[in-house]
Amino acid sequence: MFKTVEYKDGKVRLIDQTRLPLEEVYVECDNYQDVARAIKIMQVRGAPAIGVTAAMGVALGAKGIITKDFAEFYKEFVKICDYLAGTRPTAVNLFWAIERMKSVTDRNRNKPVDYIKDVLEKEAVKIREEDISINRTMGNYGQELIENGDTILTHCNAGVLATAGEYGTALGVIKVAHEKGKKIKVYADETRPFLQGARLTAWELVKEGIPVRLITDNMAGYFMGKGEIDKVIVGADRIAANGDTANKIGTYSLSILSKEHNIPFYVAAPLSTIDIKILDGSKIPIEERNPQEVTHLSGKRIAPEGVEVSNPAFDVTPNKNITAIITEKGIIKPPFKDGIKGLFK
Ligand code: MRU
């Protein structure tokens, strides 16, 4: 089994997701700037995976600070945290993981700097292990919503590659249902412009032996209309306190199509993706990415020079279009505001 991200011999080792599915190669980062670059150019992507990787970047950066004086260490440490926090704005797991690393340093401010560096390394490894077990628990809850014979549509990649490993969020639910012997079939949206569905979800599911059919994004309505889709399951990058959910661009349209066709629309995400400080989806920052992702395919221009381009990487699905949110603490249904409050009690 491939590993999305791990901390090995004082380095952060990542499967290079920009090269999949054609090549299975790994990138090794031995400084925090390389970790930040890997997140920015999406060698690693997907909300939980970004969080885990950033935590490892913080640990790596802290190790490289040469001083025994806490005040000096802390000044540099905060700069490293800010640098990593500047990589991608939407997935809240990034900020969640960095805050968790900061609080480890704060709690140990009276201890020697070398001790703090060790604890930070251990914390990053722990965040990775926790994410794997959270996904397994979430999959177990979520599979209860899947019936034998279901055809499930998913968008982007919310699998092993989008998390610390082994299961994934939306694909974790699918994977556990498959392990339990339910006969299921997946329709994977190709997910323009970065093609996470075609390149990553299709790769993961083919590797797992889970039946998958790749479709382009604009085919979803067609197949729903023909009655071929029973359920939609997607991941999330940030869920507001009222359940509004930011996920890969195109998710909002899918939610409307699902509503029109009376198809249950599920979101699977860990608590680290829920941002209770944000009251509704309108406050979620949406990342605007390089126009080249739209004008080019595999490095080849497909649109005329000089054309104006928009490339928002995410959109927000309003809570009214979501049937249920699957978390590691169970499944919540509307009204999500109350359900989410309960999760954090
Ligand atoms: O731009 P990406 O590839 O990082 O976006 C990823 C997604 O939108 C995923 O659906 C989301 O992070 C959930 S991953 C478990």
Side-chain angles (χ1 to χ4, degrees), residues 84 103-104 110 115 141 147 177 187 304 327:
L84 283 156
S103 71
V104 165
N110 296 323
Y115 175 86
Y141 280 120
E147 278 158 59
Y187 275 48
T327 77

Side-chain angles (χ1 to χ4, degrees), residues 42 45-48 50 88 156-158 162-163 169 196 235-237 247-248 314:
M42 288 165 75
R45 32 66 49 203
I50 292 171
R88 298 194 68 190
C156 192
N157 171 269
T163 59
T169 57
Q196 289 93 330
D237 287 85
N247 190 49
K248 182 52 53 196
F314 303 95

